[in-house]
Amino acid sequence: MYKVLFFSFLLFIATTYAQDYTHVDSRVRNYPEFVAVTDLGYRIMNDFETETQRVRAAFIWLTHNIAYEDKMLFLPEKKLAYRSKAGKQLQVERLVQSKMDRAFRARKGVCIDYSLLLNALCEQFGLPSRVVSGIAKTEIKDVQKEPMFKNHAWNAVRIAGEWKLMDPTWASGHVDLVSKQFVRKYRDHYFFTPPSDFVKHHLPSKPEWQLLDKPMSAAAFYSAPLYLPDYFGKGIVLAATTNGILNISDTNRKVLHFDKLPKNREMYYTISGSPEFRRMGFKKLDSKAYISKIRLRKKLKKTFNYLTIYLDYNPILNFKIEE
């Protein structure tokens, strides 16, 4: 009995430590400059033993050293010239390597550059890895608007037989809408994100990369509200059937459903970025459901309107408002 308890305790300690990346993050943030991505990979392999630690180290380095720069999109690419399948593959590999080298040297890139670099590092570690492409909802105008092209790339890596999802681009920061400048702000939510959360903002072109037993349909993805980073990990669960569009009707009230709410946390909402914060009230329907009634004006001044919900004054959800 004592042996069972002892080994259970050791397992608990090991599991807890494995999920604490403090020692990995602090070490990687103090790394020197590297000339090539492979040099970074060898340093990570030398410093860390487990697959999870190595992937974490690569993720942290990229998100803290590569800046998002959309001007990289317009740099000319080389045309492919080949006579066979093998020749084409060789040209593609050279093109990818050239693109990665350019982004690594400049310390700038777009989503595909982040993803290619992370993918290359994972492969250097000997791990099955993929660059996943698809649609990412970034603005409230994207709700119920189905773009006809893929606009984003992210990563999947398999560790101990289980695929994990990551987005190093979104984890690194964001572009300020006013200044149009990149603002570095690390978001840990996008590292090993649970698939059920990841699909709330990323829709892969191939449904199998949702990593869900029942993949979400494109219609459900586009009709959902915009989930912001501070929504996750706060103990709040919006009902899955909630539509991302609030239509103004004669009743002038909209009811939002929540399956779970955080304890002792205040929630507010604003309309179209107004500085006026309105406190949300909730009514408990049963042990697993809550509702909140939102008041909307029958006539709004702007042609494009949206509602933002805040938790402790941090934005967590966006809804589009239509008349």
Side-chain angles (χ1 to χ4, degrees), residues 225-267:
L226 192 66
Y227 291 85
L228 304 176
D230 283 319
Y231 168 88
F232 302 95
K234 302 297 192 304
I236 181 171
V237 179
L238 183 71
T241 56
T242 303
N243 196 290
I245 289 186
L246 303 177
N247 291 298
I248 299 178
S249 62
D250 293 336
T251 60
N252 205 24
R253 283 173 176 263
K254 291 299 158 187
V255 178
L256 299 180
H257 292 257
F258 295 84
D259 292 335
K260 186 178 179 182
L261 290 174
K263 294 181 179 179
N264 304 319
R265 307 285 285 276
E266 294 185 345
M267 293 175 63

mmCIF file of all heavy atoms in Angstrom, residues 225-267:
data_model
loop_
_atom_site.group_PDB
_atom_site.id
_atom_site.type_symbol
_atom_site.label_atom_id
_atom_site.label_comp_id
_atom_site.label_asym_id
_atom_site.label_seq_id
_atom_site.Cartn_x
_atom_site.Cartn_y
_atom_site.Cartn_z
ATOM 1 N N PRO A 225 -19.939 33.447 -32.608
ATOM 2 C CA PRO A 225 -19.338 34.749 -32.295
ATOM 3 C C PRO A 225 -17.820 34.679 -32.374
ATOM 4 O O PRO A 225 -17.240 33.593 -32.552
ATOM 5 C CB PRO A 225 -19.823 35.017 -30.867
ATOM 6 C CG PRO A 225 -20.086 33.665 -30.294
ATOM 7 C CD PRO A 225 -20.590 32.844 -31.432
ATOM 8 N N LEU A 226 -17.181 35.814 -32.229
ATOM 9 C CA LEU A 226 -15.728 35.878 -32.249
ATOM 10 C C LEU A 226 -15.209 35.670 -30.830
ATOM 11 O O LEU A 226 -15.497 36.458 -29.929
ATOM 12 C CB LEU A 226 -15.278 37.240 -32.780
ATOM 13 C CG LEU A 226 -13.803 37.387 -33.136
ATOM 14 C CD1 LEU A 226 -13.443 36.506 -34.325
ATOM 15 C CD2 LEU A 226 -13.479 38.846 -33.451
ATOM 16 N N TYR A 227 -14.456 34.581 -30.641
ATOM 17 C CA TYR A 227 -13.879 34.269 -29.326
ATOM 18 C C TYR A 227 -12.504 34.932 -29.217
ATOM 19 O O TYR A 227 -11.611 34.651 -30.009
ATOM 20 C CB TYR A 227 -13.737 32.762 -29.147
ATOM 21 C CG TYR A 227 -15.056 32.030 -29.011
ATOM 22 C CD1 TYR A 227 -15.781 31.628 -30.141
ATOM 23 C CD2 TYR A 227 -15.570 31.723 -27.757
ATOM 24 C CE1 TYR A 227 -16.983 30.946 -30.014
ATOM 25 C CE2 TYR A 227 -16.772 31.042 -27.620
ATOM 26 C CZ TYR A 227 -17.475 30.658 -28.750
ATOM 27 O OH TYR A 227 -18.666 29.992 -28.617
ATOM 28 N N LEU A 228 -12.340 35.792 -28.220
ATOM 29 C CA LEU A 228 -11.078 36.505 -28.009
ATOM 30 C C LEU A 228 -10.203 35.741 -27.012
ATOM 31 O O LEU A 228 -10.714 34.932 -26.225
ATOM 32 C CB LEU A 228 -11.371 37.925 -27.516
ATOM 33 C CG LEU A 228 -12.298 38.729 -28.450
ATOM 34 C CD1 LEU A 228 -12.616 40.085 -27.847
ATOM 35 C CD2 LEU A 228 -11.675 38.896 -29.824
ATOM 36 N N PRO A 229 -8.885 35.971 -27.023
ATOM 37 C CA PRO A 229 -7.964 35.167 -26.186
ATOM 38 C C PRO A 229 -8.323 35.108 -24.706
ATOM 39 O O PRO A 229 -8.152 34.065 -24.063
ATOM 40 C CB PRO A 229 -6.621 35.869 -26.402
ATOM 41 C CG PRO A 229 -6.728 36.488 -27.744
ATOM 42 C CD PRO A 229 -8.154 36.929 -27.872
ATOM 43 N N ASP A 230 -8.834 36.211 -24.124
ATOM 44 C CA ASP A 230 -9.124 36.233 -22.691
ATOM 45 C C ASP A 230 -10.394 35.464 -22.320
ATOM 46 O O ASP A 230 -10.731 35.368 -21.142
ATOM 47 C CB ASP A 230 -9.238 37.682 -22.194
ATOM 48 C CG ASP A 230 -7.880 38.336 -22.041
ATOM 49 O OD1 ASP A 230 -6.955 37.658 -21.561
ATOM 50 O OD2 ASP A 230 -7.723 39.513 -22.413
ATOM 51 N N TYR A 231 -11.074 34.920 -23.314
ATOM 52 C CA TYR A 231 -12.248 34.079 -23.031
ATOM 53 C C TYR A 231 -11.819 32.746 -22.420
ATOM 54 O O TYR A 231 -12.494 32.200 -21.538
ATOM 55 C CB TYR A 231 -13.028 33.833 -24.324
ATOM 56 C CG TYR A 231 -14.100 32.757 -24.218
ATOM 57 C CD1 TYR A 231 -15.387 33.064 -23.817
ATOM 58 C CD2 TYR A 231 -13.809 31.420 -24.530
ATOM 59 C CE1 TYR A 231 -16.372 32.081 -23.723
ATOM 60 C CE2 TYR A 231 -14.779 30.431 -24.443
ATOM 61 C CZ TYR A 231 -16.060 30.769 -24.037
ATOM 62 O OH TYR A 231 -17.017 29.784 -23.937
ATOM 63 N N PHE A 232 -10.703 32.241 -22.873
ATOM 64 C CA PHE A 232 -10.290 30.886 -22.535
ATOM 65 C C PHE A 232 -9.597 30.814 -21.177
ATOM 66 O O PHE A 232 -8.876 31.714 -20.770
ATOM 67 C CB PHE A 232 -9.372 30.335 -23.625
ATOM 68 C CG PHE A 232 -10.012 30.330 -24.985
ATOM 69 C CD1 PHE A 232 -9.796 31.387 -25.861
ATOM 70 C CD2 PHE A 232 -10.842 29.300 -25.369
ATOM 71 C CE1 PHE A 232 -10.404 31.399 -27.113
ATOM 72 C CE2 PHE A 232 -11.459 29.304 -26.619
ATOM 73 C CZ PHE A 232 -11.233 30.356 -27.495
ATOM 74 N N GLY A 233 -9.859 29.701 -20.480
ATOM 75 C CA GLY A 233 -9.208 29.455 -19.205
ATOM 76 C C GLY A 233 -9.742 30.284 -18.067
ATOM 77 O O GLY A 233 -9.107 30.373 -17.014
ATOM 78 N N LYS A 234 -10.918 30.873 -18.232
ATOM 79 C CA LYS A 234 -11.482 31.729 -17.194
ATOM 80 C C LYS A 234 -12.715 31.124 -16.525
ATOM 81 O O LYS A 234 -13.402 31.783 -15.751
ATOM 82 C CB LYS A 234 -11.851 33.099 -17.785
ATOM 83 C CG LYS A 234 -10.694 33.846 -18.426
ATOM 84 C CD LYS A 234 -9.621 34.178 -17.423
ATOM 85 C CE LYS A 234 -8.594 35.164 -17.982
ATOM 86 N NZ LYS A 234 -7.953 34.710 -19.219
ATOM 87 N N GLY A 235 -13.051 29.886 -16.879
ATOM 88 C CA GLY A 235 -14.202 29.240 -16.261
ATOM 89 C C GLY A 235 -15.533 29.679 -16.829
ATOM 90 O O GLY A 235 -16.575 29.539 -16.169
ATOM 91 N N ILE A 236 -15.527 30.194 -18.053
ATOM 92 C CA ILE A 236 -16.760 30.616 -18.705
ATOM 93 C C ILE A 236 -16.998 29.763 -19.944
ATOM 94 O O ILE A 236 -16.066 29.475 -20.698
ATOM 95 C CB ILE A 236 -16.705 32.113 -19.075
ATOM 96 C CG1 ILE A 236 -18.021 32.553 -19.728
ATOM 97 C CG2 ILE A 236 -15.538 32.432 -19.978
ATOM 98 C CD1 ILE A 236 -18.116 34.042 -19.922
ATOM 99 N N VAL A 237 -18.254 29.341 -20.134
ATOM 100 C CA VAL A 237 -18.596 28.527 -21.305
ATOM 101 C C VAL A 237 -19.874 29.085 -21.923
ATOM 102 O O VAL A 237 -20.948 29.027 -21.316
ATOM 103 C CB VAL A 237 -18.808 27.046 -20.936
ATOM 104 C CG1 VAL A 237 -19.197 26.250 -22.179
ATOM 105 C CG2 VAL A 237 -17.544 26.464 -20.310
ATOM 106 N N LEU A 238 -19.744 29.645 -23.103
ATOM 107 C CA LEU A 238 -20.902 30.124 -23.844
ATOM 108 C C LEU A 238 -21.596 28.921 -24.476
ATOM 109 O O LEU A 238 -20.934 28.009 -24.971
ATOM 110 C CB LEU A 238 -20.459 31.099 -24.929
ATOM 111 C CG LEU A 238 -21.544 31.766 -25.777
ATOM 112 C CD1 LEU A 238 -22.318 32.785 -24.946
ATOM 113 C CD2 LEU A 238 -20.925 32.441 -27.003
ATOM 114 N N ALA A 239 -22.909 28.898 -24.444
ATOM 115 C CA ALA A 239 -23.652 27.777 -25.036
ATOM 116 C C ALA A 239 -23.249 27.600 -26.496
ATOM 117 O O ALA A 239 -23.145 28.577 -27.254
ATOM 118 C CB ALA A 239 -25.147 28.015 -24.921
ATOM 119 N N ALA A 240 -23.016 26.361 -26.897
ATOM 120 C CA ALA A 240 -22.495 26.071 -28.236
ATOM 121 C C ALA A 240 -23.430 26.517 -29.349
ATOM 122 O O ALA A 240 -22.988 26.789 -30.466
ATOM 123 C CB ALA A 240 -22.209 24.576 -28.353
ATOM 124 N N THR A 241 -24.711 26.600 -29.059
ATOM 125 C CA THR A 241 -25.687 26.964 -30.092
ATOM 126 C C THR A 241 -25.835 28.478 -30.266
ATOM 127 O O THR A 241 -26.629 28.922 -31.093
ATOM 128 C CB THR A 241 -27.060 26.371 -29.741
ATOM 129 O OG1 THR A 241 -27.436 26.811 -28.427
ATOM 130 C CG2 THR A 241 -27.017 24.846 -29.763
ATOM 131 N N THR A 242 -25.089 29.260 -29.522
ATOM 132 C CA THR A 242 -25.221 30.719 -29.573
ATOM 133 C C THR A 242 -24.793 31.266 -30.930
ATOM 134 O O THR A 242 -23.704 30.970 -31.420
ATOM 135 C CB THR A 242 -24.377 31.382 -28.470
ATOM 136 O OG1 THR A 242 -24.774 30.864 -27.203
ATOM 137 C CG2 THR A 242 -24.568 32.892 -28.481
ATOM 138 N N ASN A 243 -25.653 32.077 -31.528
ATOM 139 C CA ASN A 243 -25.363 32.667 -32.820
ATOM 140 C C ASN A 243 -24.517 33.921 -32.658
ATOM 141 O O ASN A 243 -24.677 34.671 -31.689
ATOM 142 C CB ASN A 243 -26.671 33.016 -33.546
ATOM 143 C CG ASN A 243 -26.460 33.273 -35.023
ATOM 144 O OD1 ASN A 243 -25.878 34.273 -35.418
ATOM 145 N ND2 ASN A 243 -26.951 32.367 -35.858
ATOM 146 N N GLY A 244 -23.642 34.173 -33.610
ATOM 147 C CA GLY A 244 -22.755 35.326 -33.538
ATOM 148 C C GLY A 244 -23.389 36.620 -33.992
ATOM 149 O O GLY A 244 -22.757 37.681 -33.913
ATOM 150 N N ILE A 245 -24.631 36.568 -34.473
ATOM 151 C CA ILE A 245 -25.321 37.774 -34.913
ATOM 152 C C ILE A 245 -26.528 38.038 -34.022
ATOM 153 O O ILE A 245 -27.350 37.143 -33.774
ATOM 154 C CB ILE A 245 -25.771 37.658 -36.378
ATOM 155 C CG1 ILE A 245 -24.548 37.717 -37.291
ATOM 156 C CG2 ILE A 245 -26.738 38.771 -36.739
ATOM 157 C CD1 ILE A 245 -24.871 37.745 -38.765
ATOM 158 N N LEU A 246 -26.621 39.261 -33.520
ATOM 159 C CA LEU A 246 -27.761 39.690 -32.726
ATOM 160 C C LEU A 246 -28.617 40.613 -33.590
ATOM 161 O O LEU A 246 -28.172 41.689 -33.994
ATOM 162 C CB LEU A 246 -27.296 40.437 -31.469
ATOM 163 C CG LEU A 246 -26.347 39.680 -30.539
ATOM 164 C CD1 LEU A 246 -25.921 40.577 -29.381
ATOM 165 C CD2 LEU A 246 -26.991 38.402 -30.012
ATOM 166 N N ASN A 247 -29.824 40.179 -33.892
ATOM 167 C CA ASN A 247 -30.731 40.982 -34.704
ATOM 168 C C ASN A 247 -31.607 41.853 -33.820
ATOM 169 O O ASN A 247 -32.187 41.378 -32.836
ATOM 170 C CB ASN A 247 -31.611 40.080 -35.571
ATOM 171 C CG ASN A 247 -30.808 39.375 -36.651
ATOM 172 O OD1 ASN A 247 -30.224 40.020 -37.509
ATOM 173 N ND2 ASN A 247 -30.771 38.053 -36.596
ATOM 174 N N ILE A 248 -31.717 43.121 -34.161
ATOM 175 C CA ILE A 248 -32.562 44.038 -33.400
ATOM 176 C C ILE A 248 -34.017 43.806 -33.793
ATOM 177 O O ILE A 248 -34.381 43.888 -34.967
ATOM 178 C CB ILE A 248 -32.179 45.506 -33.671
ATOM 179 C CG1 ILE A 248 -30.737 45.749 -33.236
ATOM 180 C CG2 ILE A 248 -33.116 46.461 -32.947
ATOM 181 C CD1 ILE A 248 -30.240 47.146 -33.498
ATOM 182 N N SER A 249 -34.851 43.509 -32.801
ATOM 183 C CA SER A 249 -36.269 43.253 -33.041
ATOM 184 C C SER A 249 -37.114 44.221 -32.226
ATOM 185 O O SER A 249 -36.609 45.081 -31.514
ATOM 186 C CB SER A 249 -36.612 41.807 -32.667
ATOM 187 O OG SER A 249 -36.362 41.598 -31.292
ATOM 188 N N ASP A 250 -38.417 44.049 -32.300
ATOM 189 C CA ASP A 250 -39.335 44.926 -31.572
ATOM 190 C C ASP A 250 -39.178 44.796 -30.061
ATOM 191 O O ASP A 250 -39.408 45.736 -29.314
ATOM 192 C CB ASP A 250 -40.786 44.617 -31.970
ATOM 193 C CG ASP A 250 -41.050 44.985 -33.423
ATOM 194 O OD1 ASP A 250 -40.318 45.856 -33.934
ATOM 195 O OD2 ASP A 250 -41.968 44.411 -34.017
ATOM 196 N N THR A 251 -38.782 43.601 -29.608
ATOM 197 C CA THR A 251 -38.637 43.408 -28.166
ATOM 198 C C THR A 251 -37.433 44.154 -27.626
ATOM 199 O O THR A 251 -37.367 44.474 -26.451
ATOM 200 C CB THR A 251 -38.477 41.910 -27.840
ATOM 201 O OG1 THR A 251 -37.316 41.413 -28.516
ATOM 202 C CG2 THR A 251 -39.705 41.123 -28.299
ATOM 203 N N ASN A 252 -36.462 44.436 -28.527
ATOM 204 C CA ASN A 252 -35.277 45.217 -28.163
ATOM 205 C C ASN A 252 -34.436 44.567 -27.072
ATOM 206 O O ASN A 252 -33.645 45.214 -26.416
ATOM 207 C CB ASN A 252 -35.686 46.626 -27.708
ATOM 208 C CG ASN A 252 -34.558 47.627 -27.920
ATOM 209 O OD1 ASN A 252 -33.689 47.417 -28.750
ATOM 210 N ND2 ASN A 252 -34.590 48.719 -27.179
ATOM 211 N N ARG A 253 -34.602 43.250 -26.868
ATOM 212 C CA ARG A 253 -33.812 42.523 -25.872
ATOM 213 C C ARG A 253 -33.306 41.227 -26.484
ATOM 214 O O ARG A 253 -34.041 40.548 -27.200
ATOM 215 C CB ARG A 253 -34.643 42.185 -24.627
ATOM 216 C CG ARG A 253 -34.851 43.363 -23.684
ATOM 217 C CD ARG A 253 -35.817 42.957 -22.577
ATOM 218 N NE ARG A 253 -35.965 44.028 -21.589
ATOM 219 C CZ ARG A 253 -35.303 44.080 -20.446
ATOM 220 N NH1 ARG A 253 -34.449 43.134 -20.150
ATOM 221 N NH2 ARG A 253 -35.495 45.075 -19.596
ATOM 222 N N LYS A 254 -32.072 40.907 -26.192
ATOM 223 C CA LYS A 254 -31.497 39.661 -26.669
ATOM 224 C C LYS A 254 -31.061 38.834 -25.473
ATOM 225 O O LYS A 254 -30.543 39.362 -24.487
ATOM 226 C CB LYS A 254 -30.302 39.935 -27.583
ATOM 227 C CG LYS A 254 -30.700 40.556 -28.908
ATOM 228 C CD LYS A 254 -31.613 39.624 -29.686
ATOM 229 C CE LYS A 254 -32.427 40.386 -30.706
ATOM 230 N NZ LYS A 254 -33.434 39.537 -31.341
ATOM 231 N N VAL A 255 -31.268 37.540 -25.572
ATOM 232 C CA VAL A 255 -30.932 36.636 -24.474
ATOM 233 C C VAL A 255 -29.734 35.793 -24.880
ATOM 234 O O VAL A 255 -29.749 35.121 -25.918
ATOM 235 C CB VAL A 255 -32.127 35.723 -24.111
ATOM 236 C CG1 VAL A 255 -31.716 34.763 -22.996
ATOM 237 C CG2 VAL A 255 -33.330 36.554 -23.694
ATOM 238 N N LEU A 256 -28.684 35.853 -24.066
ATOM 239 C CA LEU A 256 -27.496 35.043 -24.294
ATOM 240 C C LEU A 256 -27.464 33.906 -23.283
ATOM 241 O O LEU A 256 -27.735 34.110 -22.099
ATOM 242 C CB LEU A 256 -26.231 35.892 -24.148
ATOM 243 C CG LEU A 256 -26.089 37.066 -25.130
ATOM 244 C CD1 LEU A 256 -24.792 37.808 -24.864
ATOM 245 C CD2 LEU A 256 -26.135 36.575 -26.571
ATOM 246 N N HIS A 257 -27.107 32.720 -23.763
ATOM 247 C CA HIS A 257 -27.098 31.528 -22.904
ATOM 248 C C HIS A 257 -25.661 31.120 -22.585
ATOM 249 O O HIS A 257 -24.792 31.095 -23.469
ATOM 250 C CB HIS A 257 -27.817 30.376 -23.606
ATOM 251 C CG HIS A 257 -29.290 30.612 -23.767
ATOM 252 N ND1 HIS A 257 -30.237 30.011 -22.975
ATOM 253 C CD2 HIS A 257 -29.980 31.399 -24.632
ATOM 254 C CE1 HIS A 257 -31.442 30.406 -23.342
ATOM 255 N NE2 HIS A 257 -31.308 31.245 -24.358
ATOM 256 N N PHE A 258 -25.426 30.774 -21.329
ATOM 257 C CA PHE A 258 -24.123 30.311 -20.878
ATOM 258 C C PHE A 258 -24.292 28.984 -20.143
ATOM 259 O O PHE A 258 -25.210 28.819 -19.346
ATOM 260 C CB PHE A 258 -23.476 31.330 -19.930
ATOM 261 C CG PHE A 258 -23.139 32.635 -20.581
ATOM 262 C CD1 PHE A 258 -24.096 33.632 -20.716
ATOM 263 C CD2 PHE A 258 -21.861 32.860 -21.078
ATOM 264 C CE1 PHE A 258 -23.783 34.839 -21.321
ATOM 265 C CE2 PHE A 258 -21.547 34.069 -21.685
ATOM 266 C CZ PHE A 258 -22.507 35.058 -21.812
ATOM 267 N N ASP A 259 -23.399 28.048 -20.434
ATOM 268 C CA ASP A 259 -23.426 26.756 -19.739
ATOM 269 C C ASP A 259 -22.650 26.814 -18.428
ATOM 270 O O ASP A 259 -22.881 26.018 -17.524
ATOM 271 C CB ASP A 259 -22.820 25.661 -20.630
ATOM 272 C CG ASP A 259 -23.698 25.370 -21.832
ATOM 273 O OD1 ASP A 259 -24.916 25.620 -21.750
ATOM 274 O OD2 ASP A 259 -23.156 24.906 -22.856
ATOM 275 N N LYS A 260 -21.722 27.770 -18.350
ATOM 276 C CA LYS A 260 -20.906 27.884 -17.137
ATOM 277 C C LYS A 260 -20.431 29.317 -16.982
ATOM 278 O O LYS A 260 -20.103 29.979 -17.969
ATOM 279 C CB LYS A 260 -19.699 26.933 -17.226
ATOM 280 C CG LYS A 260 -18.848 26.859 -15.976
ATOM 281 C CD LYS A 260 -17.702 25.863 -16.156
ATOM 282 C CE LYS A 260 -16.826 25.784 -14.916
ATOM 283 N NZ LYS A 260 -15.695 24.846 -15.102
ATOM 284 N N LEU A 261 -20.378 29.789 -15.729
ATOM 285 C CA LEU A 261 -19.906 31.138 -15.441
ATOM 286 C C LEU A 261 -18.865 31.095 -14.328
ATOM 287 O O LEU A 261 -18.964 30.269 -13.417
ATOM 288 C CB LEU A 261 -21.063 32.044 -15.017
ATOM 289 C CG LEU A 261 -22.091 32.425 -16.093
ATOM 290 C CD1 LEU A 261 -23.241 33.189 -15.467
ATOM 291 C CD2 LEU A 261 -21.430 33.250 -17.194
ATOM 292 N N PRO A 262 -17.878 31.981 -14.371
ATOM 293 C CA PRO A 262 -16.874 32.015 -13.302
ATOM 294 C C PRO A 262 -17.476 32.606 -12.027
ATOM 295 O O PRO A 262 -18.353 33.467 -12.079
ATOM 296 C CB PRO A 262 -15.786 32.925 -13.873
ATOM 297 C CG PRO A 262 -16.515 33.801 -14.842
ATOM 298 C CD PRO A 262 -17.603 32.954 -15.427
ATOM 299 N N LYS A 263 -17.007 32.155 -10.892
ATOM 300 C CA LYS A 263 -17.519 32.644 -9.622
ATOM 301 C C LYS A 263 -16.850 33.969 -9.254
ATOM 302 O O LYS A 263 -15.666 34.182 -9.484
ATOM 303 C CB LYS A 263 -17.256 31.617 -8.511
ATOM 304 C CG LYS A 263 -18.024 30.316 -8.696
ATOM 305 C CD LYS A 263 -17.740 29.358 -7.546
ATOM 306 C CE LYS A 263 -18.529 28.052 -7.721
ATOM 307 N NZ LYS A 263 -18.241 27.098 -6.614
ATOM 308 N N ASN A 264 -17.652 34.847 -8.684
ATOM 309 C CA ASN A 264 -17.162 36.128 -8.160
ATOM 310 C C ASN A 264 -16.394 36.940 -9.204
ATOM 311 O O ASN A 264 -15.398 37.578 -8.900
ATOM 312 C CB ASN A 264 -16.264 35.890 -6.936
ATOM 313 C CG ASN A 264 -16.968 35.106 -5.842
ATOM 314 O OD1 ASN A 264 -18.148 35.342 -5.571
ATOM 315 N ND2 ASN A 264 -16.259 34.170 -5.225
ATOM 316 N N ARG A 265 -16.855 36.918 -10.448
ATOM 317 C CA ARG A 265 -16.241 37.717 -11.509
ATOM 318 C C ARG A 265 -17.339 38.542 -12.172
ATOM 319 O O ARG A 265 -18.403 38.028 -12.507
ATOM 320 C CB ARG A 265 -15.571 36.814 -12.555
ATOM 321 C CG ARG A 265 -14.582 35.806 -12.000
ATOM 322 C CD ARG A 265 -13.281 36.438 -11.606
ATOM 323 N NE ARG A 265 -12.477 36.756 -12.769
ATOM 324 C CZ ARG A 265 -11.680 35.882 -13.385
ATOM 325 N NH1 ARG A 265 -11.624 34.626 -12.974
ATOM 326 N NH2 ARG A 265 -10.950 36.255 -14.409
ATOM 327 N N GLU A 266 -17.091 39.828 -12.387
ATOM 328 C CA GLU A 266 -18.088 40.702 -12.988
ATOM 329 C C GLU A 266 -17.934 40.736 -14.505
ATOM 330 O O GLU A 266 -16.822 40.726 -15.030
ATOM 331 C CB GLU A 266 -17.959 42.114 -12.418
ATOM 332 C CG GLU A 266 -18.311 42.198 -10.937
ATOM 333 C CD GLU A 266 -18.288 43.627 -10.423
ATOM 334 O OE1 GLU A 266 -17.737 44.503 -11.122
ATOM 335 O OE2 GLU A 266 -18.833 43.857 -9.328
ATOM 336 N N MET A 267 -19.086 40.787 -15.197
ATOM 337 C CA MET A 267 -19.089 40.832 -16.648
ATOM 338 C C MET A 267 -19.858 42.056 -17.119
ATOM 339 O O MET A 267 -20.868 42.445 -16.529
ATOM 340 C CB MET A 267 -19.675 39.543 -17.224
ATOM 341 C CG MET A 267 -18.801 38.326 -16.958
ATOM 342 S SD MET A 267 -19.527 36.757 -17.511
ATOM 343 C CE MET A 267 -19.619 37.024 -19.282
#
